[in-house]
Structures are given as C-alpha cells and as structure tokens.
Amino acid sequence: QVQLVESGGGLVQAGGSLRLSCVASGSIFSRYAMGWFRQAPGKEREFVAAIGWSGGTTHYRDSVKGRFTISRDNAKNTIYLQMSSLKPEDTAEYYCAASMTDYPFPRDYWGQGTQVTVSS
C-alpha cells in the first residue's frame, strides 16, 4: 500500500505561482497512476490533474489547462503540480492521490493535503 505526503502549499497573490510536491513510499511508485484533487470549503472534492504510470499521458480539468502542469519523477517517487497564473478560485486544500488501475481519476489512496490560498 502506498503512502503519500504532499508539500509546497502556501499563500500567494493572484497571478503568482506555486509548485506542489507529493512523495510516495511503501510500494513500487511506477505501478501507480497519480493525480491531484482539491477541495474548497463547503464544496465537493474535485479533480485537478492526473498523470499516467510512465508519465507519458496527462489529463487536466478545463479550468486549469494552460496554467497547471503535472509531472512525475519515478526515480524520486515524486509527482509535482506546477501552478501558474493562480486565481482566488484556485484556493483549496490540494490532495495527492494514487491508483494502480484507475486513470485519469486515481482515487484509491490519498495524502493528507496541503493548503493553497490565493489572495486577490
């Protein structure tokens, strides 16, 4: 079973950038499709981005296309979410997720989350 730990969240002004990281342990990382989800207060958790097992495929929700980039480094057991041109509506708790079978919505394993706050 894989364990996931996110980092990199924080407070940023609108238009700024942040890079989130998620380190996986406890299992063979390359066996997992990986993704990022987010949840704003009072709202449902929603999909943000996903990346396939080898990193050759990616998938994004429409509202972040062109602004966010997901990547993975299988040698470091890590995925990243580079976020640029941030907007106040991107404010949320961001969660890393993994699945051995489900892509582009890997939801079997979750990290604890990292908070991203975008001020206007």
Side-chain angles (χ1 to χ4, degrees):
Q1 182 168 331
V2 66
Q3 291 84 47
L4 305 171
V5 179
E6 304 96 334
S7 63
L11 173 64
V12 64
Q13 288 189 331
S17 299
L18 279 176
R19 188 177 81 156
L20 305 183
S21 300
C22 172
V23 179
S25 62
S27 189
I28 299 174
F29 182 63
S30 60
R31 290 182 177 176
Y32 294 86
M34 302 293 296
W36 291 95
F37 292 72
R38 66 188 182 187
Q39 187 168 17
K43 295 189 175 182
E44 297 280 323
R45 190 171 297 188
E46 64 183 19
F47 167 78
V48 176
I51 189 164
W53 294 259
S54 66
T57 58
T58 57
H59 186 66
Y60 298 90
R61 71 179 297 107
D62 286 346
S63 63
V64 307
K65 286 180 181 177
R67 300 189 299 121
F68 291 11
T69 302
I70 188 170
S71 61
R72 70 188 292 162
D73 185 338
N74 283 357
K76 295 182 178 180
N77 290 2
T78 303
I79 66 165
Y80 306 95
L81 186 67
Q82 178 67 49
M83 305 185 294
S84 303
S85 302
L86 282 160
K87 304 175 181 180
E89 50 264 42
D90 295 317
T91 295
E93 188 83 6
Y94 281 71
Y95 296 90
C96 178
S99 174
M100 294 182 74
T101 57
D102 296 338
Y103 177 83
F105 306 115
R107 296 190 179 99
D108 293 337
Y109 303 97
W110 296 92
Q112 294 299 305
T114 186
Q115 177 67 38
V116 172
T117 303
V118 184
S119 63
S120 57

